[in-house]
Amino acid sequence: MALNDALIYTLLALFFPIFPLSMVVSYLLQKYYRIRSLLFVLFPSTGLLLYSISNAPSFPKPFLWLGLLSSLLYALRSLYPGSLSRWSVYHFLSLISLLWLFLLRAEVNILLVASLSLPFLILSILDRFLIDRFGSSHLKFLTGLGWTSPRFSFLIALSLLLSAGMPMGTVFFYFLTSSFLSGFWELMVLSFLWFLWGWSTMRLLSSLLWGDRNGNLLYEDLDAKSFYFVLSLTLITGALGVIFLEVML
Amino acid sequence: MFLILLSLAPALSSLITYLFGRGSERRTSLISLGFSFTTLILSVVLLLEFLLSGPYTFKLSSLLSLRLDALSTTMALVVSAISFIVHAYSFRYMKDDTGYTRFFSLLDLMTFTILITVLAGNLLLLFVGWHLIGVLLFFLLSHNLRSRDSIRYALWTFLVHRLGDLPLLFAVILLYRKFGTFDIATLSELLLHADQSYEIELIGVLIVLSAFAKSAQFPLHVWLPYTMGGPTPVSALMHAGIVNAGGFLINRFAPVFYSAEMGLHLAFWVGLITALLGSTLMLMQSDIKKALGYSTVGQMGYMIMECGLGAFALAIYHLIAHGVFKATLFMGSGGVIHEARKDPNIPEDEVYRFFVERELPPTRLPWVVFSLITVSVPLVIVLLAHLAVGVDLFRYQGALILLFFGWITGAQTIFSIYRMGAYNIYRVLLMVILSFSVVVFGYVIIGHSFEKFLYPDSSFVEKIYENANINPAIFEIQVLLLTAVVVLGWFFVYYASQNRDIVAPRFRGFYLSLYTHLSRELYLTDLYQRLAELIIAFSRNASRRLRWL
């Protein structure tokens, strides 16, 4: 392996994070939470730029399995995240490391990268709202948002579902396309991944939205302006899913 | 045109209800009920359109295409009708609920999703609808946002559905790789000319596996009886409509079974086990809604078994009949529970006095004569009904098995009359035989006509029946075994009733241990729970040790 190739592989393994380099990304995303939305867009975009200027190099097969297993590791971790912030970081890493399947079997384009980053941008905005309003997005702390903050709940439910691979979002079609690109064992891992994504999302949703309100908190819902802004972003994410599929087909 | 209108009406209703219905229950119900009625009318119009112009596929884009054929129009009519009944019932039942508008909006969205699934013209749209059913069911079942309990089993339901969607996805991938198209009409044509191969067998197995999860088949049945925490209209919709999706899926992929056998055999055995388990567990419940839940499990087992026997159209007829019947029961159960809340004791009315307090009169009819009637009369009725529609009984094992079940059901009913010991036993017996004849003739004749409507090509139907056949020697052993089990059961009950003891002392230990294992549902829920706990424990440890990484 030439030094040049090794450097490109390492850099791509950082920007399309795979284990163990994903630990660096995970640390940065958790530590610098104020610029997390920017980082959610920056990492895969830089990866894409690097991939394009290096003329779409071919990768050794172990990278595919590293990508799949990294994705599995973070999907498993997202089952017990502690907070919405951590869940979005783990889930982001789980989704983006799966891009290696595309890098080896197809190609990565701007539509794919943009539509994968967008749901996390929305999640960051909603996470920020929780932190600003309640001081934390910890799951043991926040309960009963479903009936105390209906606007916020509607948006968080919609964006979580879209990011976890529910129809008609991009992640759903991303998963579908990945399945078509996979061999038998890869498909088995992908299936388990998809199951875990759904499981962790619904666990997170049930923690946040259901149950009695926390008596120590003063609940306040999203204002109308923010609601319509985030709703528009969510609808664009949904629309991108259909466009993505039509382009792939 | 009507196809588009029908599929969009409930989606539009959901949106309008959510946007403009909030704050007024009357406005919400008027919008939702109005659209639901429109959907029902449109589905009738669509059926007429199909009868006049025949099948076609409407393509809007690569993903969005809808199919009009006998199966899709029938299912669309069933779904719209059940949805309308549930809407009308919820109008008053959900009154004063804080999430009234959300409930109706979700109900409309669920109707939209089911309609998209049954009308889908390509595999991807079918999969989208199929998966969304599980997602929306989660939100409908956990309607009460303040209750943590309601969410627990809603999550179980979601997970079983998510798991059960995967085999369908694998089947879609395999079909696309083999035939290069997602279009259902094209695939149906291509499958009729495909040779029997390992791949097609695998596709058949995957399709029935996916049907098992939606139709609550063993060992994936656990979600259904536990989801009674949701609102009663949701239970009605779920038991009358959603669980029937398995039967629809197998029918939608019927051309796969033109050259695949394994899936049919698997459906037969799993359906049989589920039917027996569901019926047994139903008898062990003391909660009316849970008993109805297990009754649905048993019925779904029977429906899947019918598919396994090759009687695809009969399964559709069964799911319609069961849907109407079960929706009525669930909606009635609300009233029963309401009455029971006012008076927790069993009402000592004439039914109570008849079954509990009366002394059994001596039966004048000798038991030998009665046993002859028990065995022969139902058999004659079932045979005559099949001969009336010209089914070649001894050619297809499927027809024989259905005949066998019909016979056992009839015999069991007459046997129950004997045990009941009515005063005017001849009159009761005559009534039972007459009712049984009406049911059997109705079932066979309507089922047969339905087959002609859904599958007009008789050679296609014959081929599926043939594929459902198994080795004759094994088949005969199975039938003999089943007969022995049933007859032994009758002797057991007869012996017990003669001795005025439910179980003879020497069998008591066995009976109690069987009861214990069954009441714990063969520990399946415990197993799933343990597995889930192990995975979450791994996640918890990983997250604690690698907190920032």
Side-chain angles (χ1 to χ4, degrees):
Chain A
M1 196 194 296
L3 189 66
N4 214 8
D5 284 346
L7 187 67
I8 287 172
Y9 294 160
T10 314
L11 283 173
L12 279 174
L14 180 73
F15 290 111
F16 294 136
I18 48 175
F19 195 80
L21 289 175
S22 56
M23 293 200 291
V24 178
V25 184
S26 173
Y27 178 79
L28 291 172
L29 284 168
Q30 289 183 62
K31 183 83 181 164
Y32 300 104
Y33 62 91
R34 284 179 197 282
I35 52 160
R36 190 181 292 146
S37 9
L38 183 69
L39 293 176
F40 276 146
V41 180
L42 203 64
F43 270 99
S45 309
T46 316
L48 179 68
L49 193 68
L50 196 66
Y51 174 73
S52 307
I53 57 172
S54 58
N55 292 324
S58 56
F59 300 94
K61 201 175 175 186
F63 276 93
L64 190 149
W65 277 98
L66 265 175
L68 279 174
L69 294 176
S70 305
S71 184
L72 194 60
L73 173 73
Y74 286 101
L76 275 167
R77 289 185 63 185
S78 66
L79 272 177
Y80 200 86
S83 67
L84 176 64
S85 305
R86 283 220 166 84
W87 184 88
S88 55
V89 171
Y90 296 156
H91 190 60
F92 171 77
L93 291 170
S94 180
L95 270 182
I96 298 295
S97 50
L98 206 57
L99 275 174
W100 283 88
L101 191 71
F102 280 77
L103 288 173
L104 270 96
R105 296 275 162 80
E107 59 175 29
V108 178
N109 55 36
I110 186 73
L111 180 65
L112 179 62
V113 169
S115 50
L116 282 181
S117 307
L118 201 54
F120 293 95
L121 199 68
I122 300 167
L123 278 177
S124 286
I125 296 170
L126 294 172
D127 187 43
R128 206 59 242 149
F129 165 77
L130 286 181
I131 294 170
D132 288 347
R133 192 71 204 86
F134 303 108
S136 160
S137 66
H138 205 280
L139 301 176
K140 280 193 180 156
F141 182 65
L142 286 168
T143 52
L145 287 171
W147 56 282
T148 51
S149 316
R151 278 182 192 154
F152 173 82
S153 306
F154 177 76
L155 288 177
I156 193 83
L158 208 59
S159 51
L160 279 175
L161 291 177
L162 286 175
S163 64
M166 311 288 176
M168 306 286 282
T170 318
V171 180
F172 176 74
F173 295 116
Y174 169 61
F175 167 75
L176 270 188
T177 319
S178 308
S179 310
F180 279 92
L181 295 171
S182 306
F184 177 77
W185 290 110
E186 293 142 24
L187 193 59
M188 291 299 111
V189 177
L190 268 179
S191 309
F192 191 43
L193 265 175
W194 196 54
F195 181 73
L196 288 174
W197 291 346
W199 188 3
S200 71
T201 306
M202 290 312 197
R203 260 175 70 86
L204 181 78
L205 259 184
S206 20
S207 292
L208 279 173
L209 305 193
W210 275 263
D212 281 329
R213 58 186 294 167
N214 185 340
N216 298 320
L217 296 177
L218 185 65
Y219 285 83
E220 193 182 310
D221 206 355
L222 266 178
D223 59 279
K225 210 168 138 189
S226 312
F227 174 76
Y228 287 114
F229 171 67
V230 182
L231 183 66
S232 321
L233 280 179
T234 314
L235 292 177
I236 292 170
T237 312
L240 275 176
V242 181
I243 295 169
F244 171 73
L245 185 79
E246 296 291 347
V247 169
M248 291 307 280
L249 285 172
Chain B
M1 177 65 179
F2 290 118
L3 202 54
I4 296 283
L5 281 177
L6 174 66
S7 47
L8 284 185
L12 207 61
S13 172
S14 174
L15 193 68
I16 296 175
T17 305
Y18 191 77
L19 292 177
F20 302 108
R22 281 194 289 181
S24 162
E25 285 189 357
R26 191 175 160 69
R27 204 164 51 232
T28 296
S29 53
L30 279 179
I31 298 170
S32 193
L33 208 58
F35 268 101
S36 183
F37 185 68
T38 313
T39 309
L40 179 61
I41 298 294
L42 282 170
S43 62
V44 175
V45 175
L46 201 69
L47 181 66
L48 292 174
E49 190 190 347
F50 166 70
L51 293 173
L52 293 172
S53 61
Y56 69 87
T57 303
F58 176 81
K59 277 185 191 167
L60 200 68
S61 72
S62 312
L63 171 71
L64 305 169
S65 82
L66 300 168
R67 172 97 185 130
L68 183 90
D69 59 17
L71 182 64
S72 65
T73 46
T74 308
M75 289 305 296
L77 184 60
V78 174
V79 171
S80 317
I82 290 176
S83 168
F84 176 68
I85 294 168
V86 171
H87 271 82
Y89 179 77
S90 312
F91 170 65
R92 279 188 62 204
Y93 188 89
M94 297 301 289
K95 242 177 171 40
D96 299 329
D97 189 290
T98 45
Y100 195 82
T101 306
R102 178 166 46 89
F103 176 80
F104 273 93
S105 182
L106 277 172
L107 203 59
D108 287 329
L109 211 53
M110 179 58 104
T111 310
F112 165 69
T113 307
I114 304 176
L115 280 174
I116 284 293
T117 311
V118 300
L119 293 169
N122 76 42
L123 297 178
L124 289 179
L125 193 61
L126 173 69
F127 182 71
V128 166
W130 187 259
H131 179 60
L132 273 177
I133 291 175
V135 179
L136 289 171
L137 201 51
F138 169 86
F139 288 101
L140 275 170
L141 287 171
S142 56
H143 175 72
N144 183 358
L145 292 170
R146 296 183 196 213
S147 156
R148 280 255 172 225
D149 291 337
S150 69
I151 196 79
R152 189 176 170 212
Y153 293 113
L155 185 61
W156 270 109
T157 304
F158 169 78
L159 291 179
V160 173
H161 282 240
R162 183 110 163 159
L163 192 70
D165 295 342
L166 288 167
L168 180 61
L169 175 68
F170 299 159
V172 169
I173 293 171
L174 285 175
L175 279 168
Y176 183 74
R177 282 186 183 165
K178 191 163 175 65
F179 299 103
T181 179
F182 289 119
D183 185 64
I184 289 176
T186 317
L187 265 174
S188 302
E189 277 299 312
L190 291 170
L191 276 161
L192 292 181
H193 302 104
D195 295 326
Q196 198 160 9
S197 67
Y198 159 75
E199 276 168 307
I200 299 205
E201 287 287 5
L202 183 61
I203 291 166
V205 170
L206 289 168
I207 286 162
V208 295
L209 283 177
S210 209
F212 290 167
K214 277 276 186 295
S215 288
Q217 298 297 292
F218 178 85
L220 299 171
H221 64 281
V222 287
W223 64 273
L224 188 64
Y226 286 92
T227 46
M228 297 303 168
T232 298
V234 178
S235 301
L237 181 73
M238 195 165 70
H239 289 252
I242 295 165
V243 285
N244 296 319
F248 160 75
L249 190 76
I250 295 176
N251 271 271
R252 176 46 82 213
F253 285 97
V256 169
F257 300 100
Y258 190 76
S259 36
E261 299 172 355
M262 274 163 59
L264 294 175
H265 302 326
L266 183 67
F268 171 73
W269 279 106
V270 172
L272 181 65
I273 293 168
T274 311
L276 290 173
L277 193 74
S279 309
T280 312
L281 290 173
M282 177 194 77
L283 295 172
M284 293 168 70
Q285 305 306 315
S286 54
D287 177 307
I288 181 173
K289 281 181 87 180
K290 216 168 167 194
L292 287 176
Y294 278 112
S295 153
T296 303
V297 172
Q299 288 292 326
M300 288 302 104
Y302 196 78
M303 182 193 72
I304 292 289
M305 197 182 79
E306 283 170 336
C307 291
L309 294 169
F312 283 16
L314 198 63
I316 293 287
Y317 173 56
H318 189 144
L319 73 85
I320 295 170
H322 173 256
V324 174
F325 170 69
K326 202 45 76 67
T328 316
L329 280 178
F330 264 101
M331 289 167 183
S333 74
V336 175
I337 293 168
H338 185 70
E339 283 299 313
R341 273 186 192 145
K342 281 195 283 189
D343 181 10
N345 299 312
I346 299 170
E348 292 188 12
D349 54 13
E350 57 187 271
V351 179
Y352 175 84
R353 283 193 289 279
F354 178 79
F355 280 103
V356 180
E357 289 181 348
R358 86 208 156 103
E359 285 294 315
L360 280 178
T363 311
R364 286 185 196 152
L365 200 66
W367 74 270
V368 179
V369 178
F370 213 97
S371 61
L372 275 175
I373 294 172
T374 304
V375 172
S376 59
V377 172
L379 188 64
V380 171
I381 294 170
V382 172
L383 273 171
L384 282 175
H386 279 79
L387 290 174
V389 293
V391 172
D392 190 352
L393 280 176
F394 299 100
R395 197 164 149 205
Y396 305 117
Q397 290 173 357
L400 274 176
I401 290 275
L402 290 173
L403 184 146
F404 177 82
F405 268 86
W407 170 56
I408 294 290
T409 311
Q412 181 67 48
T413 315
I414 297 177
F415 183 63
S416 306
I417 298 297
Y418 175 72
R419 283 193 61 219
M420 202 192 287
Y423 283 99
N424 199 343
I425 198 158
Y426 296 108
R427 202 171 134 224
V428 177
L429 190 63
L430 190 69
M431 291 299 175
V432 166
I433 291 172
L434 274 174
S435 313
F436 182 69
S437 309
V438 171
V439 170
V440 170
F441 271 87
Y443 196 72
V444 174
I445 292 169
I446 297 174
H448 188 72
S449 316
F450 218 65
E451 191 165 87
K452 292 272 175 218
F453 174 66
L454 289 179
Y455 302 107
D457 181 3
S458 58
S459 61
F460 176 82
V461 176
E462 279 183 25
K463 185 73 171 52
I464 300 238
Y465 273 119
E466 272 170 31
N467 284 344
N469 284 354
I470 55 168
N471 184 314
I474 297 173
F475 174 73
E476 278 155 24
I477 292 169
Q478 282 175 10
V479 173
L480 284 174
L481 255 172
L482 280 173
T483 314
V485 169
V486 172
V487 173
L488 273 173
W490 286 340
F491 274 116
F492 178 74
V493 175
Y494 179 77
Y495 175 82
S497 63
Q498 288 300 305
N499 290 287
R500 293 271 166 181
D501 190 3
I502 296 166
V503 192
R506 69 180 129 154
F507 292 122
R508 188 159 285 136
F510 170 73
Y511 179 81
L512 283 176
S513 84
L514 186 69
Y515 186 89
T516 310
H517 296 319
L518 280 172
S519 66
R520 293 299 299 271
E521 294 175 46
L522 306 173
Y523 308 98
L524 274 173
T525 40
D526 301 285
L527 184 75
Y528 296 148
Q529 183 76 36
R530 186 77 195 114
L531 208 61
E533 281 166 5
L534 280 174
I535 296 174
I536 288 174
F538 171 84
S539 173
R540 189 173 50 231
N541 288 333
S543 293
R544 273 182 190 159
R545 284 174 195 175
L546 302 168
R547 196 172 170 187
W548 290 93
L549 304 173

